[in-house]
Amino acid sequence: MSKILIVEDEESIAELEKDYLELSGFEVEIENSGDKGLERALSENFDLYILDLMLPGVDGFEICKRIRQEKNNPVLMVSAKKDDIDKIHGLGLGADDYITKPFSPSELVARVKAHLSRYDRLIGSSAQQNEIIEIRGLKIDKTARRVFVNGEEKNFTTKEFDLLAFLAQNPNRVFTKDELFSNIWDMESVGDIATVTVHIKKIREKIEFDTSKPQYIETIWGVGYRFKM
Ligand code: CA
């Protein structure tokens, strides 16, 4: 059952929201002050947050900002004024939706459901993506740390695997050698960006059919490398 936190100082509104959401099968908790709301939002796990904008103590803007620093769950902002909605947009707080009071409770429930299922799909697909990456005959199993090329397993060293997996997880993005070095090698490592070049060469020998025409890891001259999706 999905758990929702409502932070709203107008008790009648909070209760109305709660009643409708509970009728739809959600578990709902209410906090009437911004301070307490923020504290619970950060210390407990909720699947979705509904925040009123104007609250005693910490306001909805601040709560939204703080939630975003730590969590990716959907945040719905509720406001009495249309002007505030523009302000939310302008601040780029990362809220997922905005509802202006007065709103119909069924509209709120519909939006809550839509955001929760969107979030579940997002989490589900990224979890899948994280375990096995498969592209044009290349299969990278991140859980088992194994690499197969057209069904044949190739042996990778730890750093070669980390580098390949990192690039494949961020396809079509160009990384400089510096960025790759700092992402894959820890601070204590001896080495420099030439290490990256050497590792890319070794990876290509293992996964590319023709290393002079790489189909997976492209060299972007003067910049770095990109994994082609
Ligand atoms: Ca209020």
Side-chain angles (χ1 to χ4, degrees), residues 7-10 13 32 52-56 78 80 101:
V7 188
E8 168 68 71
D9 60 323
E10 284 171 75
I13 292 183
N32 298 121
D52 181 30
L53 206 50
M54 302 314 282
L55 293 161
V78 176
K101 291 179 198 173

